Amino acid sequence: MTDRRIVFSAQRNEGPFLLEWVAYHRAIGMTDIIVVSNNCTDGSDLLLDALAAQGAVHHIRQTVPAGVPPQLNAAEIVLREKLFRPGDWVIWLDLDEFLVPGFRDLTIDFLMEKLHGTKADALALNWVLMGDSGQSGLPERFVDPAFTQASKPFYQPCFLTKTLFRFDERIRGLQLHRPLWTAGSTPLVLNGGGKRVEADFIHGTHRNGDPIARTEGVENRYRLGQINHYAVRTRQLYELKKLRGRGFAAAGDSAIRHDDDFYRRHNTNHREDTKIQRMVAGTTAQMTVLLDDPATASAHAICRATAIARLGDLARA
């Protein structure tokens, strides 16, 4: 058994968002952050190197084989390199997703006590989509009082989950929203309301073969926690996101996902959600510590400057 709480991610060209995302998850008590990068052109790989030199992250550069989605290749790397140990608690988050424990101080400790007390093997937490809150351009922060507008309760896209799970021999692979358990295994998986998930969540698949990763009709779905998902951030950053490409699609895949309809459905300014605001000060403190390192401060500034320049190019196009 270990006491490690690990955030795993794969990213490309998300430099302006890295520092806050790392700082926030350190502030809530995650002990290890593993980030796999590929083909970065905005300096985000250099920022990850600087953060790794401080011991804040474990950074891996990957070369993605032809025809393989970068995120799935990253998952294969971390499993092949045995970066997770039996007993570790792991969650796979994108750089626009923040784990928000559902307790007053927002740290992970009390949530872990709850999971240990129930002998749970995993916790499937629903998204809360965060809208642009009327902001534009490249804001300094997203864990910030300027970003509080969110999706309404029981909004259909928020039936999707991200899963915090205990790593053990029953896990045969990783997918974006949950691990893949071996056939016949019976892990105890809870939803955000603290009840067992639907039976098909554990081994069920959609017609296209993707694993089912939705929980619907859950009472008190955010009691144990939620995933704040800043899918669009701002209109201008959404346009930049479209240029970056999809991590879950192989290079050359012509399927279009990030269109105007996606923006409309995910720019949810339906109600106010301020849960994450309790971690503004803690995130700021962690960012200050990380930025005390000159290499990190320089790399972060370069990432922001590159993003601002690219936003300017888009505006003039």
Side-chain angles (χ1 to χ4, degrees):
M1 297 295 291
T2 76
D3 292 320
R4 299 201 307 168
R5 298 91 174 259
I6 301 172
V7 181
F8 162 65
S9 191
Q11 75 88 41
R12 177 178 183 268
N13 288 354
E14 298 195 64
F17 321 117
L18 268 168
L19 186 76
E20 181 183 44
W21 184 85
V22 169
Y24 171 83
H25 286 100
R26 284 165 58 91
I28 67 167
M30 302 305 285
T31 61
D32 296 71
I33 299 173
I34 300 172
V35 182
V36 181
S37 69
N38 68 283
N39 301 327
C40 299
T41 61
D42 71 337
S44 52
D45 53 344
L46 301 179
L47 175 54
L48 284 165
D49 285 344
L51 290 168
Q54 292 196 64
V57 303
H58 181 166
H59 177 213
I60 301 169
R61 281 181 169 83
Q62 67 166 331
T63 300
V64 184
V68 178
Q71 288 177 313
L72 292 186
N73 194 64
E76 291 182 7
I77 289 172
V78 295
L79 292 178
R80 183 174 66 244
E81 299 297 323
K82 300 187 185 303
L83 297 183
F84 305 150
R85 300 195 292 260
D88 287 344
W89 283 86
V90 181
I91 188 166
W92 183 344
L93 297 176
D94 293 335
L95 267 290
D96 58 4
E97 295 173 320
F98 290 71
L99 168 61
V100 184
F103 304 100
R104 182 168 296 278
D105 66 358
L106 290 196
T107 61
I108 199 74
D109 293 340
F110 191 60
L111 176 58
M112 298 310 302
E113 288 180 16
K114 289 284 188 184
L115 294 177
H116 287 309
T118 60
K119 301 188 184 306
D121 296 299
L123 174 65
L125 294 174
N126 287 97
W127 276 347
V128 172
L129 286 171
M130 303 300 293
D132 65 12
S133 296
Q135 304 301 310
S136 62
L138 177 61
E140 290 284 340
R141 298 276 297 273
F142 293 89
V143 181
D144 186 89
F147 284 90
T148 60
Q149 293 300 302
S151 49
K152 58 191 174 184
F154 294 98
Y155 187 51
Q156 192 270 344
C158 294
F159 292 161
L160 271 171
T161 64
K162 283 299 184 82
T163 306
L164 176 66
F165 61 92
R166 191 198 333 250
F167 187 76
D168 62 24
E169 71 283 353
R170 294 173 295 178
I171 291 172
R172 60 180 177 83
L174 304 178
Q175 279 279 349
L176 279 172
H177 295 273
R178 66 165 174 85
L180 302 176
W181 286 281
T182 55
S185 60
T186 56
L188 173 56
V189 183
L190 303 181
N191 60 39
K195 307 296 184 183
R196 284 180 180 266
V197 297
E198 303 90 339
D200 61 358
F201 182 93
I202 297 173
H203 296 296
T205 60
H206 297 288
R207 290 182 179 178
N208 65 359
D210 289 343
I212 290 173
R214 301 165 62 86
T215 60
E216 303 183 19
V218 176
E219 186 178 356
N220 297 322
R221 65 172 57 203
Y222 298 126
R223 183 172 70 85
L224 294 180
Q226 65 191 47
I227 304 296
N228 278 21
H229 186 20
Y230 301 79
V232 300
R233 296 188 174 108
T234 68
R235 180 73 215 203
Q236 295 81 6
L237 288 175
Y238 181 69
E239 295 303 316
L240 205 59
K241 177 177 187 170
K242 288 160 66 174
L243 292 179
R244 189 181 71 237
R246 293 180 57 201
F248 202 63
D253 189 327
S254 60
I256 296 174
R257 180 171 185 250
H258 295 131
D259 55 12
D260 287 342
D261 184 58
F262 181 99
Y263 180 83
R264 178 187 57 79
R265 288 184 292 108
H266 290 76
N267 186 28
T268 52
N269 299 287
H270 303 153
R271 65 179 176 91
E272 189 172 63
D273 188 308
T274 61
K275 294 184 186 73
I276 202 170
Q277 299 304 313
R278 285 171 283 179
M279 287 307 300
V280 169
T283 303
T284 300
Q286 286 289 333
M287 290 178 70
T288 300
V289 169
L290 295 173
L291 286 170
D292 277 345
D293 170 57
T296 298
S298 175
H300 175 64
I302 289 170
C303 288
R304 285 191 58 83
T306 301
I308 290 169
R310 289 177 176 176
L311 289 172
D313 291 342
L314 284 172
R316 289 186 292 272

